[in-house]
């Protein structure tokens, strides 16, 4: 009996409550109007994402010790939604978290993402962190590469220069040390 049907129904796909009349009104919208509404909603979602990124970053940082799984999810979301500065900080926070977990490959990859976003003076610091992780992993070639990238940005970098020299001396790469 149609008259005894409830005025509100639950959508089988989403579990959301749907008002049949609202659904009917939406269906009667012309495709060009619907596209305009979709474009507007998309523009609004982008703005919401950028605004949400600092909160996601703070949430991720705050949850690192108690709920690393949620912290990682929040930080990864911040890398996608945030402006470059927020995404950069989210990648660096992810790297530190992965490093504490002993997941050095993931930490290094996060720093590579951060380096791509970092302005040049900060990029040197990010690459220096990546070189240190490469050394922890026993990847001398990767560490040397990262130290060289630091030195391209800052030729007299006080940490990169002696570390690269030490790596090359340890490997017996005397021509490299002479450079």
């Amino acid at each position: 009996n149609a008259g005894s049907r409830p005025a509100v129904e639950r959508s089988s796909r989403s579990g959301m409550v749907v008002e049949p009349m609202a659904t009917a009104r939406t269906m009667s919208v012309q495709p060009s109007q619907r596209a305009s509404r979709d474009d507007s909603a998309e523009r609004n979602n982008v703005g919401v994402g950028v605004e949400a990124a600092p909160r996601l970053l703070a949430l991720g940082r705050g949850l690192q010790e108690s709920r690393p799984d949620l912290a990682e999810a929040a930080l990864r979301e911040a890398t996608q939604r945030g402006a470059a500065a927020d995404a950069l900080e989210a990648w660096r926070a992810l790297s530190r978290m992965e490093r504490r977990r002993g997941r050095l490959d993931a930490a290094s990859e996060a720093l590579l993402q951060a380096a791509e976003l970092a302005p040049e003076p900060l990029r040197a610091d990010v690459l220096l962190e990546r070189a240190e992780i490469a050394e922890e992993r026993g990847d001398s070639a990767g560490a040397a590469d990262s130290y060289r990238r630091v030195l391209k940005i800052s030729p007299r970098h006080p940490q990169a220069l002696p570390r690269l020299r030490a790596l090359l001396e340890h490997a017996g790469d005397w021509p490299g040390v002479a450079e």
Side-chain angles (χ1 to χ4, degrees):
N1 182 339
S4 64
R5 230 199 212 146
V8 176
E9 297 175 0
R10 189 166 296 276
S11 168
S12 62
R13 265 187 13 175
S14 67
M16 293 177 40
V17 174
V18 178
E19 186 179 336
M21 286 307 292
T23 303
R25 283 190 301 268
T26 302
M27 298 302 283
S28 68
V29 173
Q30 296 297 317
S32 62
Q33 291 171 320
R34 194 174 302 130
S36 175
R37 283 185 189 174
D38 291 346
D39 291 345
S40 175
E42 184 65 28
R43 281 191 302 274
N44 289 338
N45 285 339
V46 170
V48 169
V50 171
E51 291 171 10
R55 285 179 255 145
L56 287 165
L57 184 56
L59 179 66
R61 285 179 174 154
L63 292 173
Q64 283 184 356
E65 296 301 319
S66 62
R67 294 292 308 269
D69 54 330
L70 293 177
E72 181 178 357
L75 291 169
R76 288 199 183 281
E77 190 66 25
T79 67
Q80 300 299 311
R81 291 180 177 230
D86 291 328
L88 167 65
E89 285 309 309
W91 282 118
R92 290 184 85 184
L94 273 166
S95 173
R96 288 187 292 275
M97 189 173 88
E98 296 291 18
R99 193 173 188 179
R100 281 193 305 274
R101 293 166 135 179
R103 294 166 44 178
L104 299 179
D105 289 339
S108 180
E109 185 59 35
L111 286 173
L112 184 60
Q113 296 295 324
E116 290 178 14
L117 297 171
E120 210 155 89
L122 184 55
R123 187 176 306 137
D125 293 337
V126 171
L127 291 169
L128 184 67
E129 282 181 67
R130 190 160 191 260
E132 292 167 355
I133 289 173
E135 282 193 72
E136 281 181 51
R137 289 184 3 224
D139 179 9
S140 297
D145 179 60
S146 289
Y147 286 131
R148 284 186 179 102
R149 290 179 65 189
V150 170
L151 292 169
K152 282 183 182 177
I153 297 166
S154 178
R156 296 180 188 264
H157 195 280
Q159 293 162 308
L161 196 54
R163 288 301 312 144
L164 178 60
R165 182 178 296 124
L167 275 175
L168 295 174
E169 285 175 356
H170 186 281
D173 183 357
W174 303 114
V177 173
E179 283 180 24

